[in-house]
Amino acid sequence: MMDVEQLLNNNRFWAESLRARDPEFFARLAAQQRPEFLWIGCSDSRVPANEVVGLMPGELFVHRNVANMVVATDMNFLSVLQYAVDVLQVKQVIVCGHYGCGGVRAALGHEELGLIDNWLRALKALYHQNLERFSGLGHEAQVDLLCELNVQRQVRNVCHTTIVQRAWARGQALAVHGWIYGLSDGLVKDLGVTVSSAAQLDQTFLYE
């Protein structure tokens, strides 16, 4: 079993390895961060955001929570999104879920788990809204389908924020993508739900 001392040793080896390849790496990194991507992902430890897409520190701004949810009243998420869009001026927002998500699996069940039940309630609603699509599917297939539908819904939720719509209104180039990651093969799948302008949204969700 690994202890915290091993983590500190790992850190020293990692930092020394980077400096050996590029002596000025950390000096440049400390001077500023200018990532072009915001990653909204699941907290699952098996989905390491930077490594999945092969990016170095400083190249990916990251927000993670259980089941990669975008909740309109979540000040943590909204603060991250506003900083990424308004200050860092990222050009791409990626909502990335993953197959076999434990949060999604919990939402499909009926076991009381505690505080998390309230966080996942929107997933239960999403399942209920699409009941016909789950008919005839085995449990694992249902979990994976809800994982995909959840990503699609959260892409829309990102686009429905005033933060993103104001960016589009002032002409800022910004696209929101929906991806899903396979734990079994390490591959990312683009779900083809990219939104890059307010014109792609339903009129109900638009602001003047």
Side-chain angles (χ1 to χ4, degrees), residues 63-182:
H63 175 78
R64 297 172 69 172
N65 60 49
V66 175
N68 43 273
M69 301 289 286
V70 174
V71 179
T73 54
D74 180 1
M75 296 303 293
N76 186 329
F77 163 72
L78 292 174
S79 298
V80 169
L81 182 65
Q82 182 166 27
Y83 188 78
V85 173
D86 293 351
V87 179
L88 298 177
Q89 296 197 328
V90 299
K91 294 179 173 61
Q92 317 284 343
V93 177
I94 299 163
V95 179
C96 188
H98 65 95
Y99 291 120
C101 178
V104 172
R105 191 182 301 279
L108 280 172
H110 300 283
E111 181 183 356
E112 183 180 339
L113 299 173
L115 183 63
I116 192 68
D117 297 323
N118 301 283
W119 180 254
L120 299 175
R121 189 165 296 154
L123 281 174
K124 286 185 175 289
L126 183 59
Y127 168 73
H128 182 72
Q129 292 161 10
N130 293 275
L131 276 177
E132 72 286 349
R133 298 187 60 178
F134 291 88
S135 178
L137 296 179
H139 183 66
E140 291 305 310
Q142 288 190 352
V143 171
D144 287 346
L145 174 57
L146 189 54
C147 288
E148 291 185 351
L149 293 176
N150 181 43
V151 169
Q152 294 170 17
R153 174 61 57 86
Q154 305 318 321
V155 165
R156 290 282 159 169
N157 286 348
V158 171
C159 297
H160 294 162
T161 65
T162 56
I163 297 164
V164 168
Q165 292 194 30
R166 284 172 184 161
W168 284 331
R170 62 177 175 260
Q172 185 172 335
L174 183 65
V176 185
H177 311 274
W179 293 359
I180 194 156
Y181 175 76

Side-chain angles (χ1 to χ4, degrees), residues 7-47:
L7 300 186
L8 293 172
N9 290 335
N10 292 348
N11 167 254
R12 284 188 285 271
F13 177 78
W14 172 78
E16 289 167 4
S17 298
L18 279 179
R19 278 195 296 268
R21 283 185 285 166
D22 183 354
E24 300 302 316
F25 177 79
F26 288 106
R28 289 197 309 273
L29 195 63
Q32 69 168 354
Q33 66 165 335
R34 186 60 68 185
E36 294 193 8
F37 307 94
L38 167 62
W39 175 282
I40 301 168
C42 182
S43 299
D44 195 300
S45 62
R46 297 168 295 178
V47 191

